[in-house]
Amino acid sequence: MAKSPNTLSAADAVQRMADKRLKARDLVEACLDRIEAREGQVHAWEALDADGARKRADMLDKRAKPVGPLHGIPLAVKDIIDTRAMTTECGSPIYRGRKAKKDAACVAQLVQAGAIVLGKSVTTEFAGAHAGKTHNPHNLRHTPGGSSSGSAAAVADFMAPIGYGTQTSGSVIRPGAFNGIVAYKGTYGWADLTGVKTYAKSLDTLGFFAREANDLALIRAAYGHAPADPPAQAPRIGFCRTRWWDQAERYNQKNMEAAVKMLRAAGAKVSTWEMPESWDALITAHNRVMTKEATFHYGPERKRFPHLLSPSLAQSLEFGDTVTPAQLADAKKRKERALADLAKAWERFDILLVPTARGEAPAGLGYTGDPIFNRYWTLLGSPCVALPVGTGPFGLPLSVQLVGPHDDDDQLVSWARWVEQRLS
């Protein structure tokens, strides 16, 4: 039986459209049908532009050649990212009904590459900790993670092939893990964030959700990059349990160790890399930077609409108020020392293999999970990819995280394609 178009990866769909075996309109209709069937349960969307998506698909179908690497691919856009055709409400009543005058730079980038904006996906309040309405499509009683909840759930539930997310703590990698899909957080500063609501300027990073690592190569191509094909040779992998290994569930530890065995059997040179003890302070350093910067960026909302902020955001901002200049300077020093440690690691390894989350997506919708295995990579600005591998005791997805050197995102994507082939 032929696959329904909405279940195709972006890479497969692009190839079929190039071969004239699939129309963009048919792909859009299949995604809209899936949304109609499942949105009442998953709640991944804040707004849809069905008519606009259909019109753009029809226009693309009339073109003799693809307009770009993402020709005809429907896209979910996290609702802190501006779109001209739909509201951008940031998961907050403060911005209810707000419409931007133009698309965010990142949206315009993918539209130029042929993507079709399907709708705005649910975010937690201002991409913080206060959960939105989205359910995990694998088990509706569990969280999809946050803050990029809707995009991750939409891709996982075959409502859209790709989705935009952002990460300030663990908001791309963790939802990718919880929803059993591929997630990519680029090197800090890799993409223009004009038109994206700021939380912490020195941490906010653009990311994506997709069905397979090949899709990440397409997305990078849409930004003018040319990721290499998966290398023929096996990578040198540093298996890093991290300083917080004891906080991972035992079944997740076993899953990670099983992945290591599979990669060794496939020819990868895997050896252990121990995080220096000094990295223990990076969690605190990240939290101080994040909350202090948030007090600057959310000053206007806090002053005018304090009653419309969630208790969790208000508490976070109150903590930010207490962070001193000396503590911020200390955080910067610790970050620089850790980056020097990483520079030495890249002399030995091509990528690091690390946990993505403690385990399966937690039960309940009010808590989006602990970003304990994401915070320090975000602080350091490292590019990361999450790949689904295995399942936990409740049958929910598990994942591994690959980390690469700064500004070597294309090579990281290439290695991710290699690793995915061996672990799938």
Side-chain angles (χ1 to χ4, degrees), residues 325-408:
Q327 289 173 331
L328 283 180
D330 178 71
K332 184 176 180 180
K333 282 183 181 179
R334 293 184 183 279
K335 173 182 175 178
E336 294 305 317
R337 289 173 190 162
L339 286 172
D341 295 330
L342 265 184
K344 294 177 183 177
W346 300 133
E347 295 173 4
R348 297 175 52 198
F349 304 113
D350 298 307
I351 52 176
L352 297 179
L353 179 71
V354 302
T356 54
R358 287 184 171 182
E360 293 177 309
L365 301 179
Y367 172 56
T368 63
D370 190 342
I372 188 73
F373 292 110
N374 316 124
R375 283 180 179 270
Y376 33 92
W377 303 121
T378 306
L379 177 68
L380 299 179
S382 301
C384 306
V385 172
L387 297 175
V389 180
T391 55
F394 287 96
L396 293 170
L398 298 177
S399 179
V400 297
Q401 182 174 191
L402 307 181
V403 179
H406 277 216
D407 298 316
D408 206 9

Side-chain angles (χ1 to χ4, degrees), residues 65-364:
K65 295 180 180 180
V67 301
L70 290 174
H71 180 96
I73 298 300
L75 167 70
V77 178
K78 183 177 180 179
D79 197 33
I80 63 165
I81 301 174
D82 284 347
T83 50
R84 185 168 55 87
M86 288 167 283
T87 58
T88 303
E89 299 183 335
C90 302
S92 169
I94 295 172
Y95 285 95
R96 189 162 293 145
R98 173 186 172 269
K99 264 201 171 184
K101 293 181 179 179
K102 62 179 182 178
D103 289 340
C106 60
V107 174
Q109 185 80 32
L110 291 203
V111 169
Q112 185 178 359
I116 299 171
V117 177
L118 193 59
K120 304 300 288 293
S121 54
V122 174
T123 178
T124 62
E125 177 202 29
F126 294 121
H130 185 66
K133 62 184 179 180
T134 308
H135 299 238
N136 190 309
H138 296 276
N139 186 323
L140 298 174
R141 295 180 180 179
H142 289 246
T143 181
S147 61
S148 308
S149 315
S151 286
V155 172
D157 204 48
F158 306 109
M159 296 176 178
I162 58 174
Y164 259 132
T166 60
Q167 181 158 312
T168 307
S169 187
S171 296
V172 171
I173 296 299
R174 193 172 77 262
F178 287 170
N179 288 276
I181 53 177
V182 174
Y184 160 71
K185 180 202 78 73
T187 295
Y188 172 77
W190 80 276
D192 187 349
L193 292 184
T194 302
V196 180
K197 182 66 173 171
T198 303
Y199 194 98
K201 193 169 185 179
S202 72
L203 299 172
D204 294 349
T205 308
L206 195 67
F208 281 97
F209 301 101
R211 304 247 167 80
E212 59 182 40
N214 284 337
D215 298 343
L216 301 183
L218 280 182
I219 293 166
R220 292 284 298 173
Y223 276 85
H225 300 277
D229 289 332
Q233 77 276 19
R236 301 170 301 161
I237 300 176
F239 177 35
C240 178
R241 291 178 173 83
T242 80
R243 302 287 300 173
W244 299 271
W245 181 249
D246 62 345
Q247 295 195 38
E249 300 287 353
R250 181 58 189 145
Y251 63 79
N252 198 27
Q253 294 175 353
K254 290 181 178 179
N255 190 63
M256 290 284 299
E257 290 160 350
V260 167
K261 290 180 180 178
M262 292 171 68
L263 293 172
R264 280 193 178 126
K269 299 175 182 177
V270 186
S271 54
T272 298
W273 182 67
E274 297 286 349
M275 276 184 177
E277 186 176 342
S278 59
W279 283 43
D280 285 348
L282 291 185
I283 299 293
T284 297
H286 169 270
N287 195 46
R288 284 173 173 169
V289 171
M290 180 178 70
T291 56
K292 189 63 175 182
E293 291 189 10
T295 63
F296 296 125
H297 297 300
Y298 287 93
E301 291 88 351
R302 196 180 186 190
K303 183 177 181 179
R304 294 184 61 198
F305 306 104
H307 58 293
L308 295 180
L309 298 180
S310 70
S312 63
L313 179 57
Q315 184 178 14
S316 181
L317 295 174
E318 287 168 5
F319 178 84
D321 290 335
T322 69
V323 176
T324 66
Q327 289 173 331
L328 283 180
D330 178 71
K332 184 176 180 180
K333 282 183 181 179
R334 293 184 183 279
K335 173 182 175 178
E336 294 305 317
R337 289 173 190 162
L339 286 172
D341 295 330
L342 265 184
K344 294 177 183 177
W346 300 133
E347 295 173 4
R348 297 175 52 198
F349 304 113
D350 298 307
I351 52 176
L352 297 179
L353 179 71
V354 302
T356 54
R358 287 184 171 182
E360 293 177 309

